[in-house]
Amino acid sequence: MTKILLLSDTHSHIDDKILKYAAQADEIWHAGDIGSLKVTDALQKIKPLKAVYGNIDDHIIQKEFPLNHRFFCEKVDVLITHIGGYPPKYNERTRNIISQNPPKLFICGHSHILKVMRDKKRDVLHMNPGACGKHGFHQVRTMLRFEIEGADIKNLEVIELGKRG
């Protein structure tokens, strides 16, 4: 079993609340708009990190992390990107990838809106953890925590970190 902490849209913000939850995970996944390598450096000191860059991330972060990250966690095929849309309103780039070879779990950020939903047509679980940074229009900072055991995604929890301001 692998315990995952999923976060996005830190926009250069990292704090003890985020790090506390990171320490409880086996892996940390970041869905882009990192903002500063100090965020990913702090996370990588705690646990293994998988991340993608987002639209606010500069060339330094883009050299460190890919636009798309596709991998297996146990028996779950995972695709992470920053801007992807959601079922069935994927953006064109993501729609092509998902249509040709659907992952079991599709993760994106960008919208600052926490959303978990199933694409029944393609049998894909979509997750957007919302935003855990302080920059943006969201009111409450959020992350997701879940477990992967074999081919099962289970024990999904929403983590609320408090008001943005």
Side-chain angles (χ1 to χ4, degrees):
M1 178 182 58
T2 307
K3 296 176 184 175
I4 308 298
L5 178 67
L6 174 60
L7 62 149
S8 187
D9 296 277
T10 46
H11 291 262
S12 302
H13 178 77
I14 190 80
D15 61 27
D16 289 340
K17 283 184 180 180
I18 296 169
L19 296 174
K20 178 186 93 168
Y21 286 103
Q24 297 169 9
D26 295 320
E27 293 184 6
I28 305 160
W29 298 352
H30 194 305
D33 276 4
I34 296 162
S36 166
L37 287 179
K38 74 175 185 164
V39 170
T40 50
D41 289 349
L43 293 170
Q44 286 175 313
K45 284 180 186 166
I46 297 173
K47 294 292 167 94
L49 173 70
K50 291 179 170 65
V52 296
Y53 71 81
N55 57 294
I56 68 129
D57 293 322
D58 64 17
H59 68 283
I60 297 166
I61 294 171
Q62 289 178 24
K63 282 183 183 174
E64 188 83 19
F65 300 103
L67 174 64
N68 299 324
H69 194 10
R70 187 142 190 188
F71 58 93
F72 275 84
C73 179
E74 299 198 19
K75 295 181 181 175
V76 175
D77 183 4
V78 180
L79 172 62
I80 304 177
T81 195
H82 182 59
I83 301 174
Y86 58 91
K89 298 179 179 180
Y90 301 109
N91 67 21
E92 185 177 352
R93 180 180 57 83
T94 306
R95 183 172 47 252
N96 292 339
I97 295 168
I98 292 172
S99 294
Q100 291 169 12
N101 184 15
K104 181 163 183 166
L105 177 57
F106 170 61
I107 294 168
C108 65
H110 185 63
S111 70
H112 293 220
I113 300 168
L114 187 144
K115 188 177 287 199
V116 177
M117 61 189 295
R118 182 161 296 284
D119 180 340
K120 292 176 185 160
K121 179 180 172 186
R122 295 175 181 91
D123 194 28
V124 174
L125 180 61
H126 164 72
M127 291 185 188
N128 183 325
C132 66
K134 294 190 171 186
H135 177 78
F137 64 87
H138 58 287
Q139 297 300 307
V140 177
R141 299 168 49 229
T142 58
M143 302 185 297
L144 291 172
R145 180 164 60 178
F146 58 95
E147 296 170 355
I148 293 179
E149 187 167 8
D152 296 327
I153 301 164
K154 60 187 193 174
N155 298 327
L156 177 66
E157 286 181 78
V158 172
I159 298 168
E160 292 190 355
L161 297 169
K163 298 278 186 194
R164 175 174 52 86

